[in-house]
């Protein structure tokens, strides 16, 4: 059951698609007060209450004990003290004395203090807001109910579940071919190669540099014949340059964000001086989406949308101010305060509140200053592309995901979790985020495997991939400043082959479970306690997840570890996948603690009692996966039925094609 309470006049977000009657008054179980023009909602947590949710956010699966500032932010230094990331997913689920969900639907800043100021208090501070209190008999039911009102989740084409290689730094066709060759010659599976900003002409969206990519259509076709899709990046900001058709056309139509006087507001991002498409205006949003046509026409079927918090390197006026200030300091003897003031002028140029308070949108519900609707930008940029794809080829599924997002976005596309680093702690953070994202509808999600910033190692890469095979978005991506991290760049290629192959072996399961969950509102990746709510130990499990209906995973996430301890909350069958999934061993384990050894080329997971899981023979790509001759992992005494998705892999209309397979013990 959902009850909606409205406070003030919050800007329209279109996060909720099943309309709810609105009440005024106390949003029980919260109390509310006004403080400095803000609303503060409070709830006293029970001693052992857990708090889940918040999608893409810092810290553990249980969010209790920290403060989270939901304000979409482009900042790649993701250390433990951070409070904001690239997405704002304002749904929490309190699990304990009272179990309930709460969604704070406001596109401006929303701060969740979950036992940070006072260990026993949960407070949520925001402006005008719609609060949805979600009730149900269990955590799973509450999530189902919430997902019902926000609408079902995006399903990409099936090839998007294959393995992807990406790197900022592939500059031309030769670089792309080298990656393709590197994978194929080493017998490593591959379904996608990503194209980062260097494919464009001077970083201008919807252009292709003809010297670097003389014939993109031919290249895309040649790779596709081998089951490899090219996936270009699209950035939010449009270069402000006369003669550039996207700029000229958008300017003429009045589709860019404007300043207080109604003139286009300029910011600087990759291409230098740029403007921001006003994607909150439905006409401008669709116009921006229609620009993707130029790449679709060249055979491109997948895109990743970036810099859409929106990221701003600087605005011209503020840069000028900083330079004038710096010139005034030239030759002076600067003490620490003066030096701090000088550098501060430059440090604070990026993503400044002053800029976010200086431009405006013509939204469906009127004119808004950007700061009031900030968290909706990435969502609507991405939605524009999706809305256009529906026109371009209505029944086809395209790969589409974005860096920034808000709840509602999950109906149109997936997300990746931004610029993480090659740190073991970020592998753990990747795992911890998955169930929170799932609760908010973001099923097609994943992190940059191996880490984006800094240098990865062979061991970290392998362990990260071994976790990543269970995440829908399975992409190795890194910055241009990092050492090479393509799987063939390492010494122990055999171990990489084994782990990547396992992804394809489990793909019939992962894909079928994904499609079922996207439609039903069930969670694909869940905290262990959601399946074992009566188990006190399960409440504290932070490094294991339930994935789909049948299994629990327990990845190794420590440097030099030969294995790890696993808490098994009920009788299960331990499965050890070997040799790329071509072989496995199994052992029944009772509820309890176990130390498991996990060599770098193997994966261990746990099958629930009464469950089965299909396994395919590994393949070089999704297109050549043989799903007719499946093997079965099983822990059953009676025959059971397993529903496997038998869609064609790319149309929307075939998504409901399931085959019920009877599995004998
Ligand atoms: C941003 C993206 C990253 C990309 C880079 C260059 O930092 O998050 O994935 O590689 O920009 O486009």
């Amino acid at each position: 059951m959902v009850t909606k309470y409205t406070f003030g006049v919050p800007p329209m977000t279109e996060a909720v698609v099943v309309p709810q009657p609105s009440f005024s008054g106390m949003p029980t179980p919260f109390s509310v007060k006004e403080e400095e023009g803000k609303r503060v909602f409070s709830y006293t947590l029970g001693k052992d209450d857990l708090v889940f949710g918040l999608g893409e956010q810092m810290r553990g699966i249980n969010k209790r004990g920290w403060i989270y500032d939901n304000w979409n932010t482009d900042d790649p230094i993701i250390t433990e003290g951070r409070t904001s990331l690239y997405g704002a997913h304002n749904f929490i689920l309190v699990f304990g004395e009272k179990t309930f969900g709460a969604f704070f639907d406001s596109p401006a800043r929303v701060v969740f203090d979950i036992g940070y100021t006072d260990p026993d208090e949960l407070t949520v501070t925001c402006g005008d807001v719609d609060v949805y209190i979600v009730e149900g008999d269990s955590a799973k039911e509450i999530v189902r109910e919430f997902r019902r009102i926000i609408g079902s989740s995006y399903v990409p084409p099936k090839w998007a579940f294959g393995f992807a290689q990406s790197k900022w730094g592939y500059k031309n066709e030769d670089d792309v071919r080298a990656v393709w060759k590197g994978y194929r010659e080493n017998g490593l599976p591959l379904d996608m190669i990503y194209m980062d900003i260097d494919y464009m002409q001077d970083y201008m969206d919807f252009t292709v540099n003809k010297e670097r990519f003389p014939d993109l259509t031919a290249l895309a076709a040649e790779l596709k014949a081998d089951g490899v899709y090219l996936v270009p990046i699209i950035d939010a900001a449009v270069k402000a340059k006369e003669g550039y058709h996207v700029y000229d056309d958008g300017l003429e139509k009045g589709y860019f964000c404007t300043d207080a006087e109604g003139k286009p507001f300029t910011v600087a991002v990759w291409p230098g001086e740029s403007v921001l498409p006003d994607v909150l205006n439905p006409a401008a949003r669709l116009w921006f989406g229609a620009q993707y046509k130029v790449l679709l026409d060249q055979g491109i079927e997948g895109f990743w949308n970036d810099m859409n918090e929106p990221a701003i390197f600087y605005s011209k006026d503020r840069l000028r101010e900083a330079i004038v200030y710096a010139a005034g300091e030239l030759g002076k003897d600067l003490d620490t305060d003066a030096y701090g003031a000088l550098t501060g002028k430059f440090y604070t140029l990026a993503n400044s509140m002053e800029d976010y308070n200086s431009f405006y949108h013509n939204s469906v519900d009127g004119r808004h200053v950007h700061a009031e609707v900030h968290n909706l930008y990435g969502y609507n940029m991405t939605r524009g592309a999706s809305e256009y794809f529906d026109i371009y080829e209505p029944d086809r599924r395209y790969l589409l995901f974005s860096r920034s997002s808000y709840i509602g976005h999950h109906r149109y596309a997936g997300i990746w979790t931004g610029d993480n680093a090659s740190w073991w702690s970020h592998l753990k953070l990747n795992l911890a985020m998955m169930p929170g994202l799932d609760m908010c509808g973001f099923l097609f999600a994943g992190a940059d495997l191996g880490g984006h910033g800094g240098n990865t190692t062979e061991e970290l890469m392998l362990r990260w991939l071994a976790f990543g095979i269970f995440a829908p978005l399975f992409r190795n991506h890194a910055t241009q400043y990092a050492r090479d991290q393509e799987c063939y760049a390492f010494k122990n290629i055999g171990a990489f082959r084994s782990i990547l192959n396992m992804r394809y072996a489990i793909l019939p399961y992962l894909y079928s479970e994904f499609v079922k969950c996207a439609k039903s509102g069930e969670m694909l990746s869940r905290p262990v306690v959601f399946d074992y709510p009566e188990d006190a130990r399960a409440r504290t499990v932070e490094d294991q997840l339930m994935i789909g209906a049948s299994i629990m995973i327990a990845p190794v996430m420590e440097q030099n570890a030969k294995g790890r301890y696993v808490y098994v909350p009920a009788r299960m069958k331990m499965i050890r996948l070997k040799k790329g999934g071509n072989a496995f061993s199994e052992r029944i384990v009772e509820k309890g603690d176990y130390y498991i050894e996990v060599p770098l080329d193997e994966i261990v997971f746990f099958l629930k009692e009464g469950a089965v899981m299909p396994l395919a023979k590994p393949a070089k790509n999704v297109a050549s996966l043989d799903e007719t001759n499946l093997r079965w992992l099983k822990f059953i005494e009676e025959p059971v039925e397993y529903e496997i998705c038998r869609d064609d892999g790319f149309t929307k209309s075939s998504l409901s094609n399931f085959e019920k397979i009877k599995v004998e013990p």
Side-chain angles (χ1 to χ4, degrees):
M1 199 182 87
V2 179
T3 319
K4 174 183 176 184
Y5 301 88
T6 298
F7 296 86
V9 190
M12 196 187 271
T13 67
E14 294 170 279
V16 170
V17 287
V18 179
Q20 305 294 316
S22 193
F23 298 94
S24 54
M26 219 45 121
T28 338
F30 288 91
S31 63
V32 55
K33 59 176 192 257
E34 293 224 12
E35 241 171 44
E36 295 163 12
K38 293 273 178 203
R39 293 190 167 78
V40 184
F41 299 87
S42 308
Y43 176 72
T44 303
L45 292 164
K47 190 167 119 316
D48 296 320
D49 284 4
L50 314 176
V51 183
F52 298 107
L54 293 185
E56 182 183 308
Q57 255 296 4
M58 296 299 296
R59 305 275 169 145
I61 298 177
N62 176 4
K63 296 287 177 226
R64 190 164 178 173
W66 190 238
I67 185 162
Y68 308 88
D69 179 1
N70 280 2
W71 176 264
N72 294 349
T73 304
D74 170 33
D75 177 353
I77 313 298
I78 304 173
T79 45
E80 204 175 317
R82 282 282 296 277
T83 54
S84 302
L85 292 174
Y86 305 86
H89 309 136
N90 304 338
F91 175 73
I92 50 171
L93 192 148
V94 176
F95 182 100
E97 282 175 17
K98 194 172 160 42
T99 296
F100 62 95
F103 173 42
F104 294 83
D105 191 10
S106 161
R109 186 186 296 274
V110 180
V111 179
F112 293 82
D113 181 337
I114 310 183
Y116 167 77
T117 304
D118 173 338
D120 300 317
E121 281 297 310
L122 160 63
T123 64
V124 183
T125 306
C126 53
D128 288 358
V129 63
D130 284 321
V131 182
Y132 296 81
I133 304 294
V134 190
E135 290 163 295
D137 286 339
S138 64
K140 283 184 181 178
E141 193 186 317
I142 290 166
V143 172
R144 246 191 334 262
E145 183 65 355
F146 179 56
R147 299 252 306 267
R148 180 182 68 79
I149 66 161
I150 59 172
S152 53
S153 303
Y154 160 78
V155 181
K158 191 168 184 176
W159 51 262
F161 285 78
F163 176 68
Q165 182 60 54
S166 179
K167 182 173 175 113
W168 177 11
Y170 299 155
K171 290 210 178 329
N172 52 37
E173 181 167 332
D174 288 347
D175 290 347
V176 170
R177 286 183 182 279
V179 174
W180 181 27
K181 203 165 137 223
Y183 275 86
R184 289 295 179 247
E185 285 185 351
N186 287 291
L188 296 161
L190 183 71
D191 272 87
M192 284 153 275
I193 300 174
Y194 280 64
M195 297 163 74
D196 210 314
I197 50 176
D198 295 307
Y199 80 87
M200 292 181 246
Q201 180 67 48
D202 302 327
Y203 309 118
M204 291 190 290
D205 279 342
F206 313 112
T207 66
V208 177
N209 182 309
K210 286 286 169 207
E211 263 163 49
R212 296 174 176 186
F213 290 91
D215 191 346
L216 183 61
T217 308
L219 182 67
E222 190 184 342
L223 264 70
K224 222 189 276 183
D226 187 39
V228 177
Y229 291 76
L230 284 177
V231 184
I233 196 168
I234 304 290
D235 288 304
V238 166
K239 184 161 181 65
K241 183 182 164 190
E242 260 178 59
Y244 166 40
H245 65 282
V246 184
Y247 176 69
D248 291 346
D249 194 37
L251 199 63
E252 192 190 314
K253 294 188 161 85
Y255 284 167
F256 298 123
C257 294
T258 49
D259 63 16
E261 287 151 23
K263 293 203 292 291
F265 184 75
T266 57
V267 297
V269 197
W270 303 119
E273 202 169 314
S274 306
V275 284
L276 293 166
D278 183 5
V279 290
L280 269 63
N281 167 354
R285 179 170 72 223
L286 186 59
W287 165 83
F288 189 74
Q291 307 303 320
Y292 288 67
K293 181 175 189 300
V294 64
L295 290 158
L296 293 166
D297 286 348
Q298 294 176 72
I300 299 297
E301 294 183 48
F303 302 89
W304 49 310
N305 283 348
D306 193 22
M307 308 301 275
N308 49 10
E309 292 65 35
I312 298 176
F313 292 170
Y314 61 85
S315 65
K316 233 172 150 180
D317 290 350
R318 299 193 61 243
L319 180 64
R320 189 181 309 110
E321 260 171 53
I323 293 171
V324 169
Y325 182 90
E329 298 298 89
L330 198 64
K332 284 191 192 159
D333 172 15
L334 304 179
D335 67 6
T336 179
D337 300 329
Y339 181 68
L342 168 66
T343 53
K345 288 273 176 208
F346 292 89
Y347 283 147
T348 55
L349 282 177
N351 308 321
S352 85
M353 275 314 286
E354 202 178 317
D355 286 335
Y356 290 137
N357 274 313
S358 305
F359 65 92
Y360 294 80
H361 296 272
N362 284 318
S363 309
V364 248
D365 56 345
R367 191 164 153 87
H368 290 290
V369 65
H370 176 77
E372 275 175 11
V373 290
H374 174 75
N375 289 340
L376 296 179
Y377 196 87
Y379 158 26
N380 282 287
M381 171 195 175
T382 305
R383 179 178 172 186
S386 168
E387 286 171 344
Y388 179 71
F389 299 161
D390 285 347
I391 296 170
Y392 189 78
E393 215 182 311
D395 196 30
R396 186 178 280 268
R397 281 138 56 191
Y398 292 90
L399 169 61
L400 180 64
F401 62 91
S402 159
R403 191 170 71 180
S404 186
S405 62
Y406 186 81
I407 290 174
H409 178 125
H410 70 284
R411 299 190 296 272
Y412 302 96
I415 56 168
W416 95 99
T417 55
D419 295 346
N420 62 3
S422 298
W423 300 336
W424 290 89
S425 61
H426 277 187
L427 165 53
K428 293 181 189 164
L429 184 63
N430 182 184
L431 180 145
M433 273 186 208
M434 296 309 282
L437 287 167
D438 213 300
M439 284 173 212
C440 299
F442 292 92
L443 266 51
F444 193 72
D448 288 347
L449 303 172
H452 183 262
N455 292 324
T456 199
T457 62
E458 176 170 290
E459 187 192 8
L460 176 58
M461 193 72 233
L462 278 166
R463 293 300 195 195
W464 212 323
L465 290 170
F467 163 67
I469 70 166
F470 298 103
L473 173 57
F474 188 46
R475 180 178 76 143
N476 174 347
H477 176 53
T479 159
Q480 58 180 350
Y481 310 108
R483 73 193 280 194
D484 291 346
Q485 64 183 47
E486 295 78 13
C487 297
Y488 53 79
F490 298 95
K491 191 173 172 191
N492 190 1
I493 295 182
F496 283 92
R497 192 176 302 121
S498 182
I499 299 296
L500 293 189
N501 277 339
M502 287 178 193
R503 164 65 166 216
Y504 291 78
I506 69 156
L507 211 137
Y509 173 74
L510 187 69
Y511 185 67
S512 297
E513 294 298 306
F514 181 98
V515 175
K516 285 182 243 179
C517 292
K519 289 159 66 134
S520 66
E522 293 291 336
M523 291 175 71
L524 179 71
S525 69
R526 304 177 298 283
V528 174
V529 71
F530 277 34
D531 283 33
Y532 304 96
E534 306 304 331
D535 186 316
R537 278 284 305 284
R539 301 166 69 91
T540 60
V541 175
E542 282 281 339
D543 55 0
Q544 302 171 203
L545 291 176
M546 309 304 302
I547 301 284
S550 307
I551 65 169
M552 179 181 84
I553 63 163
V556 175
M557 299 187 287
E558 297 285 345
Q559 179 172 309
N560 292 320
K562 299 281 176 243
R564 57 163 288 171
Y565 283 95
V566 181
Y567 175 62
V568 177
R571 191 162 189 256
M572 288 181 176
K573 195 179 256 185
M574 183 171 109
I575 308 284
R576 179 178 295 276
L577 272 196
K578 305 176 199 181
K579 301 188 169 57
N582 281 309
F584 63 87
S585 63
E586 51 181 44
R587 172 160 82 96
I588 293 173
V589 286
E590 302 298 330
K591 175 181 163 104
D593 293 283
Y594 295 85
Y595 182 80
I596 53 165
E597 285 201 3
V598 189
L600 288 168
D601 59 352
E602 293 183 6
I603 283 172
V604 176
F605 60 87
F606 298 81
L607 192 61
K608 292 173 82 173
E609 200 163 14
V612 296
M613 174 180 176
L615 266 192
K617 282 262 178 248
K620 70 168 191 172
N621 54 32
V622 172
S624 45
L625 203 60
D626 174 8
E627 292 195 54
T628 47
N629 299 303
L630 295 168
R631 291 165 299 159
W632 292 89
L633 299 171
K634 37 193 172 178
F635 189 15
I636 49 174
E637 277 167 14
E638 311 269 304
V640 297
E641 272 188 347
Y642 186 81
E643 278 199 281
I644 194 148
C645 185
R646 294 289 194 207
D647 71 330
D648 58 18
F650 69 96
T651 60
K652 293 175 190 162
S653 51
S654 71
L655 266 178
S656 45
N657 298 352
F658 276 87
E659 183 192 349
K660 283 200 174 113
I661 300 182
K662 190 166 173 194
V663 186
E664 301 288 343

